[in-house]
Amino acid sequence: MTHVRLRHPYLDHPAPIPFAHRGGAADGLENTAAAFRRAAGTGYRYFETDVHATADGRLVAFHDSTLDRITDGRGRISELPWERVREARVGGTEPLALFEDLLEEFPDARWNIDVKAESALHPLIDLVARTRVWDRVCVGSFSEGRVARAQRIAGPRLATSYGVRGVVGLRLRSYAIPAALRVGAVAAQVPETQAGIRVVDRRFVRTAHARGLQVHVWTVNEPERMEALLDLGVDGIMTDRIDILRTVLDRRGAWA
């Protein structure tokens, strides 16, 4: 199998990239500093996270638009100031983290960032520019338009992945069906299947690689699925079960 050549310093990794999804969400403390510390202690240096902006423009590493599901707080993050958001506890114990603080605490980590809301886009680009961490971040979103706007603002120094529209276009291209694709993305980050339809197969991986794109698959927690995807030649796997993925890659001699 072949892997795509390096297109951006963010992708500078000598083997398939293991991503700690939300820091490794299996223990329920997703996107907290505690989760990322555990991932770093396990040997991970690629972390996946999500960002929302508070009412006063602070960038929080958090998946949901509201605090309600996994914290003891309530309310929509975009409507609350940071002083209120910081009082919430994930699982009743762990505080939410500002993304800027995570960048500082984990200076060797690289971050795959899902921009969950339009209000978070400019604060994120401003933060990346101010801290000069262009080589350490890749921006993605379900919204192709949002990622395209990020790319237009930042230019080629920012690594981006395809949104849904880009992935659909790439899937169509894999069947030799004409489809427009955004120029400048460095990766297609996709589920293995969607609504019962297979997204990632050998044809999809081959088409992505032919366009110079890496393929990163989320969220894969079963070892047999990890093995099958690695056999297809995918370039990265995002998992909640960071222990299992490390074991699989160790067994294959692919943990770098």
Side-chain angles (χ1 to χ4, degrees):
M1 72 188 67
T2 60
H3 290 278
V4 66
R5 67 182 180 83
L6 179 66
R7 289 185 60 187
H8 189 279
Y10 175 83
L11 300 172
D12 184 14
H13 188 77
I17 299 173
F19 291 89
H21 180 249
R22 304 182 199 171
D27 63 2
L29 300 181
E30 62 183 57
N31 279 326
T32 61
F36 295 118
R37 289 178 195 128
R38 176 173 174 263
T42 307
Y44 282 74
R45 71 182 185 101
Y46 280 82
F47 299 153
E48 189 275 346
T49 193
D50 315 272
V51 291
H52 285 276
T54 63
D56 49 352
R58 306 299 297 274
L59 206 61
V60 181
F62 200 72
H63 177 271
D64 298 1
S65 61
T66 72
L67 299 171
D68 302 32
R69 179 177 65 91
I70 64 167
T71 83
D72 55 8
R74 293 291 181 271
R76 185 170 293 276
I77 291 174
S78 63
E79 298 174 355
L80 298 172
W82 169 239
E83 287 303 314
R84 284 276 305 281
V85 172
R86 71 186 305 173
E87 296 172 357
R89 293 293 180 268
V90 177
T93 61
E94 294 298 324
L96 278 67
L98 290 173
F99 184 58
E100 183 169 4
D101 291 345
L102 295 175
L103 284 173
E104 183 176 350
E105 180 172 352
F106 303 96
D108 298 324
R110 297 186 177 181
W111 297 86
N112 198 87
I113 308 160
D114 188 346
V115 184
K116 287 296 186 184
E118 191 69 25
S119 60
L121 179 58
H122 281 281
L124 175 61
I125 299 302
D126 290 346
L127 172 61
V128 172
R130 176 165 53 82
T131 55
R132 300 182 180 181
V133 293
W134 299 106
D135 293 355
R136 293 175 54 201
V137 300
C138 179
V139 170
S141 173
F142 285 106
S143 168
E144 183 72 27
R146 187 173 300 146
V147 184
R149 284 188 287 279
Q151 183 177 289
R152 283 198 299 271
I153 294 167
R157 56 189 173 172
L158 179 68
T160 63
S161 62
Y162 279 144
V164 171
R165 189 167 68 241
V167 170
V168 170
L170 190 62
R171 177 78 275 192
L172 291 173
R173 287 284 190 98
S174 75
Y175 287 107
I177 300 172
L181 286 173
R182 174 169 56 90
V183 176
V186 301
Q189 296 178 336
V190 295
E192 187 178 0
T193 62
Q194 183 69 36
I197 300 172
R198 175 161 289 278
V199 177
V200 183
D201 57 16
R202 199 169 300 279
R203 182 194 299 264
F204 182 86
V205 173
R206 185 167 56 242
T207 302
H209 286 178
R211 292 189 61 83
L213 296 161
Q214 288 200 359
V215 177
H216 305 154
V217 187
W218 51 264
T219 304
V220 187
N221 295 327
E222 298 80 19
E224 62 276 8
R225 291 176 59 209
M226 296 172 182
E227 295 277 9
L229 288 165
L230 292 167
D231 288 343
L232 286 178
V234 303
D235 307 281
I237 290 178
M238 301 184 185
T239 186
D240 298 322
R241 295 302 307 270
I242 58 176
D243 51 342
I244 292 177
L245 181 56
R246 165 123 202 194
T247 297
V248 168
L249 291 172
D250 275 335
R251 186 166 58 238
R252 297 171 70 102
W255 181 269

